[in-house]
Amino acid sequence: MRTSHISWNLVGLGIPIVIAALTVPALLQSLGAQRFGLLTLAWGLIGYATTLDFGIGRAATHQIAALRGSSAEPNDSIPGVLTTAERITFVTGTIGALAVLISLAIGADSLLKVEQVPRSEIQWSMALLALALPLQAISATYRGVNEAYLNFRGISILRMLLGAANFGVPCLVAFLSPKLYWLILSLVLSRALAALMYRRLARRCIGLKRGSRLPPYSRDLARKLAGFGGWFTLSGVLSPIVMSADRFFIASIVSSAAATAYVIPYEMVAQSLVLLGAVTTVAFPYLSQRRVSAPDDAKRMFYLILSLALIAMSVVAAAFGFLGNWIISLWLGKAIPEGAEQIVRILSLGLLPYTVASMYIALLHSDGRTEVTAKINIVEFPVFLLLTYLMIARFGIVGAAYAWVLRLAVDAILLVIAAESDLIQRWSRQRAIEPREG
């Protein structure tokens, strides 16, 4: 695994954070607390839309990486993986868009406690937001193909451009009009352009020339992808719901202004995971390939990466714990929402367990064990969804922060136990077989 892959990933994930840091204060001032709170909900929904690929993008990465690492499987079947994954994610993304439109038709917008934003403005914004869902879903497939080929340079350049559009364009639009639907339209257009660029990069990785036809949709490949992505689907749907439920609960139980007071420090802490994301995104396709061609090297590299990631994130957590007040004051100045400083300190406690959980998820998924993470999420989902609701109802945004940290700690413990027990059993079987083969 090359450090250049991690470096490109880090730049691609880091630049959008810098852009966000520069534009969010201006957006907050231009839009006001309520409109900005609704915009953060839109960002959250668009981010969640990535899961509408139902694990197919991740499955495509795993399938293609394994094909590239195996001498027994022909690589000419790779274009068929793209065709099949492309078809599936377009359908699932369209279903997600229809679900948003149906929820709008039955009055889901009335659940938001908003006094200063016209209801019609929210409704038009939701309708536009639905268009972004299939674009996000199919982009996950194209990105998965690029990751299988370790094309992190191309992905990172696109991420930088999309990050600039995600935060910079709404900031420019807000100076002309604070209407929410214009901001959402800019997000939809940027996703459409990004999907086209991801597609072009994916076809180039495979070696397809412009105008070349892909193989037809394959039911056999679809079953293989679904076999990996089926369990991943549950994790991909349940985990983001729990992760983003806090802001929706706050908006409905407390107010959209309170959601702003929570989301700003939450995003600041969460975006610090850019370093971890840069590592795990590279680790997954690398481990998927090396587990086929060199299993011993894959195990050794995993523990090395885990150790380095924990050291790096310990420094980040300490910085937020001791300097959180100064950092958020430097960022937002007098525009700091009430309670935001305390939220930063609490959320910093969750960085290390998040690091452990993310690394073990990459390890399990590289071995095709998506059912392990899915079963853990099935157990956690109702428990922590209810816990988050009760903590917010009782303690407000502080309760939401503590619920987030507790969930991450439990998640990390369960993943370590599941992964390590599986690895120990497998190594024991290998040691028992090797002498007989000799």
Side-chain angles (χ1 to χ4, degrees):
M1 188 169 68
R2 298 178 182 176
T3 55
S4 61
H5 294 152
I6 297 176
S7 299
W8 270 111
N9 233 7
L10 183 60
V11 170
L13 294 170
I15 294 298
I17 294 176
V18 175
I19 296 172
L22 295 174
T23 56
V24 163
L27 269 172
L28 180 59
Q29 184 176 5
S30 299
L31 300 178
Q34 289 200 357
R35 276 194 173 89
F36 183 81
L38 292 173
L39 180 60
T40 63
L41 296 181
W43 281 332
L45 182 60
I46 289 177
Y48 175 72
T50 305
T51 64
L52 288 175
D53 76 324
F54 286 91
I56 300 301
R58 185 89 164 181
T61 302
H62 181 265
Q63 180 75 13
I64 294 173
L67 287 170
R68 297 184 69 225
S70 173
S71 58
E73 295 286 345
N75 283 4
D76 56 5
S77 62
I78 290 177
V81 177
L82 174 58
T83 301
T84 304
E86 196 177 43
R87 176 82 63 85
I88 296 172
T89 50
F90 176 76
V91 172
T92 57
T94 302
I95 292 173
L98 292 175
V100 171
L101 295 176
I102 292 172
S103 67
L104 176 61
I106 62 178
D109 58 290
S110 62
L111 298 176
L112 299 174
K113 290 186 176 181
V114 182
E115 298 84 18
Q116 301 174 6
V117 182
R119 189 63 55 186
S120 60
E121 183 177 335
I122 297 175
Q123 292 170 344
W124 275 108
S125 300
M126 289 183 64
L128 287 170
L129 194 59
L131 300 177
L133 303 192
L135 296 171
Q136 282 290 92
I138 200 168
S139 292
T141 288
Y142 299 138
R143 189 167 57 248
V145 174
N146 281 276
E147 290 177 358
Y149 280 87
L150 303 180
N151 180 29
F152 293 103
R153 179 177 181 272
I155 294 175
S156 297
I157 292 173
L158 267 179
R159 275 179 174 156
M160 285 186 280
L161 296 175
L162 186 58
N166 194 53
F167 297 101
V169 175
C171 188
L172 294 175
V173 172
F175 283 114
L176 301 175
S177 172
K179 298 296 184 181
L180 191 62
Y181 43 71
W182 291 119
L183 304 176
I184 302 301
L185 179 61
S186 72
L187 298 179
V188 173
L189 294 176
S190 66
R191 263 66 189 177
L193 181 59
L196 291 174
M197 295 303 297
Y198 274 127
R199 178 179 182 271
R200 183 177 180 181
L201 288 176
R203 292 173 66 93
R204 183 182 297 174
C205 285
I206 293 175
L208 295 172
K209 295 181 180 180
R210 194 170 186 177
S212 299
R213 286 178 171 262
L214 286 169
Y217 171 86
S218 169
R219 290 185 179 180
D220 290 337
L221 279 174
R223 282 193 289 268
K224 284 185 179 181
L225 294 174
F228 180 98
W231 284 107
F232 183 81
T233 298
L234 292 175
S235 296
V237 172
L238 298 180
S239 183
I241 289 176
V242 178
M243 288 289 286
S244 59
D246 45 15
R247 63 190 69 189
F248 290 96
F249 285 156
I250 292 170
S252 60
I253 297 174
V254 188
S255 68
S256 60
T260 298
Y262 176 78
V263 169
I264 288 178
Y266 175 90
E267 289 298 329
M268 188 174 73
V269 173
Q271 294 300 331
S272 70
L273 293 166
V274 59
L275 177 59
L276 178 63
V279 174
T280 55
T281 303
V282 178
F284 169 63
Y286 174 83
L287 293 174
S288 296
Q289 183 176 349
R290 297 298 285 175
R291 275 181 168 257
V292 177
S293 58
D296 290 338
D297 177 66
K299 297 171 189 175
R300 178 186 61 82
M301 186 60 69
F302 168 75
Y303 289 115
L304 175 61
I305 297 171
L306 175 61
S307 301
L308 294 175
L310 283 172
I311 293 172
M313 295 313 299
S314 295
V315 175
V316 176
F320 279 122
F322 292 103
L323 303 175
N325 292 349
W326 178 79
I327 294 173
I328 198 169
S329 299
L330 181 65
W331 181 27
L332 295 178
K334 295 181 180 180
I336 302 175
E338 184 179 356
E341 296 176 352
Q342 183 182 6
I343 299 302
V344 172
R345 291 194 298 269
I346 297 172
L347 294 178
S348 67
L349 300 175
L351 292 179
L352 290 186
Y354 189 95
T355 300
V356 174
S358 297
M359 287 302 302
Y360 274 92
I361 287 173
L363 175 66
L364 287 164
H365 288 186
S366 70
D367 197 39
R369 301 299 307 278
T370 51
E371 80 280 1
V372 175
T373 54
K375 290 176 182 177
I376 290 174
N377 278 291
I378 290 172
V379 173
E380 290 179 341
F381 179 74
V383 175
F384 285 104
L385 205 61
L386 178 60
L387 176 65
T388 301
Y389 181 88
L390 294 176
M391 292 285 283
I392 292 173
R394 179 67 178 85
F395 302 106
I397 61 176
V398 173
Y402 277 116
W404 185 76
V405 173
L406 178 60
R407 189 185 69 81
L408 293 180
V410 173
D411 201 34
I413 292 171
L414 294 177
L415 285 165
V416 170
I417 293 173
E420 289 296 334
S421 62
D422 179 68
L423 287 175
I424 290 172
Q425 291 175 9
R426 186 171 305 179
W427 294 343
S428 298
R429 289 195 298 269
Q430 289 176 349
R431 285 195 296 267
I433 293 172
E434 285 171 1
R436 292 197 296 268
E437 292 178 342

